Amino acid sequence: MTKEQLIIFDTTLRDGEQSPGVTLTVDEKVDIARQLSRLGVDVCEAGFPIASPGDFKAVERIAKEVGPLTIGRKNKQPMTICGLARATRGDIQKAYDAIKGAPRHRIHTFLATSDIHLEFKLKISRDECLKKAVDAVTFARSLGCTDVEFSCEDACRSDREFLVKVLRAVVAAGATTLNIPDTVGYITPEEYGDLIQYLVSNVNGGPSIKFSTHCHNDLGLATANTLAGIRNGARQVEVTINGIGERAGNTALEEVVMAIHTHPNTFPVKHIIDTYQIYHTSHMVTRKSGMPIQPNKAIVGANAFAHESGIHQDGMLKNKTTYEIISPEILGLPSKALVLGKHSGRNAFKSHMDKLVKDTVYEDHISNDSKIYEQLFIEFKKLADSKKSGVTDQDLFALLDDHLNILASGDQAFEFVSLSIMSGSNMLSTATISIKVKDQLDVVVDAATGHGPVHAIFNAINRIVGCKNLLASYEVKAVTEGSDALGTVIVRIQQEKGKTSHVDKRPRLEEEDLESSTESDKNVFIGQGMDDDILIGSAKAYINAVNRMLNADRRYSRRHVNV
């Protein structure tokens, strides 16, 4: 079977960030983009530049800083940096201004083509839609951009003959990629495959024109639809890490890649994804987005390689291939074997960490900051003393993730020092917390009561930081196995009404007012904390969220200073 190149188009930083409650900083987006480059992604949709000054800055920085990188890429070619734009000149110009610093750049413009969208949302005729689509692509090409993608929003509910008419016209205007989104996650694999085959056969764009899939997971069919598209002629897939995205999410990159890897004779395509980077990429996105992976998530979930059944365990002991179709090592999963203990010294720790982070994005951070080793070694020693079963690679990655999360949070106005809890049944809990406040010599100590220890901790922190926040969500997950395992706490906080933080939220993939995002989406801040004591981890996570909130307020204030 002759295999054609499949273009992996990752939209984690654009469509993925439209997940409710997800707001990434510019630095976090740049970090994720660097890892996507190492992963082998062909096209990175870095954002929606016209959405906000922050989004423009993120796309521009990714274009300039990540766009030229070739480290770890199998084809030795840099990743294409893409910016999204509605079919308007202002959007398209803004997108081009943001991406033009990348050696390879693409403008992705879109317009709805279904009658329901034309009549009720855009309130334009088919003829007006056709003209607007052609004008958008023509203008994009006039800017000197030779790589232009056009998306027919809600394509799967559009009239097929009209779709062909629009796609032929935009190809004539200079579009090089034609994206066929299942915007509302409505279609079935058989129908989607048939639609792709029909369009490939009837648009007649020539071999240089790529057809692309973009599937949503509202019915749980995103990956199946994408694979059906590949088998029927699509040569680009639009995906996100962990399948995050609008509503029920998008097609998961790792699922498509590993389906092709596991069935090499089924799909007539090849790709340049480095599968050993999948685990690290997945967990980086989880850490920075604050969206935990469901335990039974395919490929990257905690249970993906766990075997509870006695029959399964017996088979695994005799031969792993009895119940394991993918080796976890192929995905870059760290070993659960004990590697270091409390008697391990600095040299052994550094040597092992060097091997552990080699050829990952973590290597970039460590090589740029020599202090990280010393700080990590101190945390490692604390963990080794408390964790009697020994420290594993997963523990070490968790320590590193926690350290990088604090660095990515920006200025640390408040730092956790210590915590004391008094709690029991039939009584209010009392938390006494010590916090180091920036620019103050003395540690600040305060106490508060609450309905349970966590509630008391958060109340005590609020007294010190001087603001009251609403807890939008609280989650705990174990990093490793055992009763002495490290735990990660993820909290989302929202300022009470009247104390609004100003954080721009990305607009949805449709023609809507850019200011229409809800206040609840704009003002949610994610914090993460890790410790072998969940109550201490909770305090760290809440403080982390508060620091992020304050940094967001400062960024907004700087943008709006009167001069």
Side-chain angles (χ1 to χ4, degrees):
M1 179 191 298
T2 301
K3 292 183 179 280
E4 297 180 52
Q5 192 67 39
L6 179 68
I7 297 170
I8 305 295
F9 178 112
D10 184 274
T11 183
T12 300
L13 297 177
R14 202 278 303 165
D15 207 336
E17 206 203 4
Q18 289 181 193
S19 302
V22 174
T23 302
L24 298 168
T25 66
V26 173
D27 287 338
E28 287 172 332
K29 289 185 175 183
V30 173
D31 268 354
I32 291 174
R34 286 181 183 275
Q35 180 59 26
L36 293 175
S37 177
R38 280 185 177 267
L39 177 64
V41 163
D42 296 286
V43 183
C44 170
E45 188 168 52
F48 202 159
I50 204 167
S52 70
D55 226 28
F56 180 90
K57 182 180 178 182
V59 177
E60 185 179 46
R61 276 191 58 189
I62 289 169
K64 292 178 179 178
E65 297 176 25
V66 183
L69 300 179
T70 59
I71 298 172
R73 297 181 62 81
K74 292 180 181 179
N75 63 357
K76 306 301 181 184
Q77 297 296 320
M79 183 168 65
T80 297
I81 308 301
C82 176
L84 184 69
R86 294 169 299 180
T88 65
R89 290 198 168 203
D91 275 38
I92 293 168
Q93 182 68 59
K94 202 76 169 178
Y96 180 70
D97 290 342
I99 63 170
K100 64 184 180 181
R104 295 187 172 194
H105 49 262
R106 174 185 295 187
I107 294 173
H108 178 194
T109 186
F110 67 94
L111 184 65
T113 53
S114 68
D115 288 334
I116 191 170
H117 277 242
L118 296 181
E119 179 180 355
F120 295 105
K121 188 182 72 175
L122 300 180
K123 301 186 186 303
I124 61 176
S125 66
R126 286 187 177 185
D127 288 341
E128 289 173 305
C129 172
L130 180 63
K131 182 179 184 305
K132 199 171 183 180
V134 170
D135 288 347
V137 174
T138 301
F139 180 66
R141 289 300 298 255
S142 74
L143 297 174
C145 184
T146 58
D147 189 351
V148 177
E149 177 173 340
F150 181 80
S151 285
C152 300
E153 187 187 2
D154 204 25
C156 295
R157 294 192 296 175
S158 300
D159 177 74
R160 285 192 174 193
E161 291 185 3
F162 182 59
L163 267 182
V164 169
K165 188 175 182 180
V166 170
L167 293 174
R168 283 178 177 175
V170 296
V171 167
T176 51
T177 300
L178 305 177
N179 187 36
I180 315 301
D182 180 19
T183 304
V184 293
Y186 165 79
I187 207 165
T188 65
E190 292 78 11
E191 292 170 325
Y192 192 67
D194 183 65
L195 175 61
I196 294 294
Q197 187 179 61
Y198 174 83
L199 294 175
V200 171
S201 300
N202 288 278
V203 172
N204 300 322
S208 63
I209 302 300
K210 304 293 183 185
F211 280 83
S212 172
T213 69
H214 182 111
C215 301
H216 283 263
N217 205 38
D218 297 70
L219 295 176
L221 297 173
T223 298
N225 285 338
T226 298
L227 294 173
I230 293 172
R231 297 192 70 180
N232 285 278
R235 292 299 176 261
Q236 174 178 287
V237 291
E238 301 198 355
V239 293
T240 62
I241 301 299
N242 300 335
I244 67 172
E246 192 89 56
R247 303 185 311 278
N250 293 56
T251 304
L253 178 149
E254 62 275 6
E255 293 177 13
V256 173
V257 166
M258 294 313 296
I260 294 170
H261 176 87
T262 308
H263 297 277
N265 298 322
T266 301
F267 301 100
V269 292
K270 57 185 178 180
H271 57 76
I272 62 165
I273 293 294
D274 179 1
T275 62
Y276 291 93
Q277 298 289 338
I278 286 177
Y279 175 87
H280 296 301
T281 310
S282 168
H283 282 262
M284 170 182 273
V285 170
T286 296
R287 172 169 52 84
K288 292 185 181 297
S289 69
M291 289 195 70
I293 304 168
Q294 66 192 62
N296 62 332
K297 166 76 175 66
I299 312 301
V300 292
N303 294 348
F305 298 97
H307 301 274
E308 186 73 18
S309 164
I311 295 174
H312 286 212
Q313 290 174 346
D314 179 64
M316 286 289 293
L317 290 171
K318 293 173 178 174
N319 189 317
K320 285 187 176 183
T321 59
T322 53
Y323 289 102
E324 202 168 79
I325 61 169
I326 301 168
S327 170
E329 290 77 18
I330 290 176
L331 304 172
L333 264 73
S335 171
K336 293 182 181 179
L338 305 183
V339 292
L340 295 170
K342 63 181 181 180
H343 299 298
S344 300
R346 279 181 171 79
N347 288 338
F349 175 78
K350 185 178 185 304
S351 176
H352 188 77
M353 286 299 297
D354 285 341
K355 293 177 183 177
L356 200 60
V357 302
K358 185 175 174 57
D359 297 327
T360 72
V361 74
Y362 295 101
E363 187 177 23
D364 299 336
H365 289 286
I366 290 181
S367 62
N368 292 332
D369 188 351
S370 58
K371 295 179 181 178
I372 289 182
Y373 277 116
E374 186 59 32
Q375 292 163 336
L376 285 176
F377 183 71
I378 293 171
E379 293 301 317
F380 156 72
K381 278 295 189 180
K382 290 179 183 177
L383 179 61
D385 281 337
S386 62
K387 192 174 182 185
K388 305 305 179 185
S389 57
V391 179
T392 68
D393 284 347
Q394 289 181 329
D395 291 318
L396 296 175
F397 272 121
L399 290 175
L400 184 53
D401 279 341
D402 189 56
H403 181 77
L404 295 179
N405 173 58
I406 293 172
L407 292 179
S409 303
D411 192 37
Q412 301 299 297
F414 303 99
E415 293 183 41
F416 173 84
V417 177
S418 65
L419 174 69
S420 175
I421 294 288
M422 183 172 68
S423 185
S425 58
N426 302 317
M427 64 178 288
L428 286 173
S429 296
T430 302
T432 303
I433 191 164
S434 301
I435 294 177
K436 182 180 178 183
V437 181
K438 188 178 181 182
D439 299 327
Q440 291 190 24
L441 293 177
D442 297 328
V443 171
V444 179
V445 182
D446 210 332
T449 59
H451 299 289
V454 174
H455 187 215
I457 290 167
F458 293 171
N459 285 341
I461 293 171
N462 281 340
R463 286 173 60 88
I464 292 177
V465 302
C467 61
K468 191 173 183 181
N469 305 300
L470 300 175
L471 183 64
S473 69
Y474 173 86
E475 300 170 55
V476 181
K477 66 174 185 176
V479 174
T480 51
E481 301 170 352
S483 59
D484 59 353
L486 282 171
T488 295
V489 178
I490 301 170
V491 301
R492 290 179 175 84
I493 64 171
Q494 183 179 353
Q495 283 187 323
E496 283 194 333
K497 201 170 183 180
K499 293 187 176 182
T500 303
S501 271
H502 304 278
V503 174
D504 299 307
K505 183 65 182 175
R506 309 297 82 90
R508 308 309 190 205
L509 181 52
E510 52 189 55
E511 297 276 347
E512 65 180 15
D513 184 354
L514 294 184
E515 301 300 324
S516 65
S517 300
T518 64
E519 283 299 311
S520 61
D521 272 348
K522 289 181 181 179
N523 303 320
V524 175
F525 298 90
I526 300 168
Q528 296 186 53
M530 189 198 66
D531 202 273
D532 55 354
D533 185 321
I534 291 304
L535 295 180
I536 293 176
S538 299
K540 290 179 177 178
Y542 197 84
I543 292 170
N544 184 235
V546 169
N547 283 329
R548 286 176 179 269
M549 178 183 68
L550 295 176
N551 284 321
D553 275 338
R554 279 192 288 271
R555 287 195 299 271
Y556 179 85
S557 298
R558 285 197 295 268
R559 290 205 305 265
H560 292 78
V561 172
N562 293 321
V563 290

